[in-house]
Amino acid sequence: LLKPKNTKDNTERIKRIEDKFGQLMEINEIKGKIRKGIGKPGEAIVKAAVEEGATMIVTGTRGLSKLKRAFVASVSDYVVHNSPVPVITCRRH
């Protein structure tokens, strides 16, 4: 049986991720905001962009092949096709 992760563990993990990206934004003098959303990730990202009056969304991608993307819902694909603002998609090297 798989045990669900402890909520405290998840909260701490999320805090570390937020801190890491907050520091990277500060070091690189990037103005922005880190937000948490509820629901499907792509929909939450587009909704947050609208609510914040964002002028651009920067997102990552795992670099799946077209065939794999056809079978696996891609958050970055959803954002690119549903965002009212420009989207930059970065692939990890």
Side-chain angles (χ1 to χ4, degrees):
L1 290 174
L2 292 175
K3 244 173 118 176
K5 283 193 170 188
N6 184 328
T7 303
K8 183 179 177 190
D9 291 343
N10 283 335
T11 302
E12 291 171 1
R13 181 174 168 261
I14 290 168
K15 177 71 173 128
R16 285 193 306 272
I17 291 168
E18 289 174 342
D19 289 346
K20 174 186 172 183
F21 283 98
Q23 289 172 356
L24 287 170
M25 289 169 63
E26 188 175 322
I27 290 167
N28 292 289
E29 299 179 3
I30 296 170
K31 292 181 183 177
K33 185 183 280 189
I34 298 171
R35 284 189 43 168
K36 293 178 231 166
I38 297 172
K40 293 182 179 178
E43 292 174 6
I45 291 167
V46 171
K47 180 180 177 189
V50 170
E51 290 174 356
E52 293 291 335
T55 56
M56 178 184 303
I57 297 173
V58 179
T59 184
T61 182
R62 294 182 290 167
L64 298 176
S65 70
K66 288 181 182 181
L67 180 62
K68 285 184 181 178
R69 276 197 318 255
F71 293 103
V72 178
S74 167
V75 173
S76 57
D77 279 348
Y78 180 90
V79 173
V80 165
H81 290 99
N82 293 281
S83 172
V85 298
V87 178
I88 295 176
T89 305
C90 305
R91 184 182 299 188
R92 185 177 183 162
H93 293 284

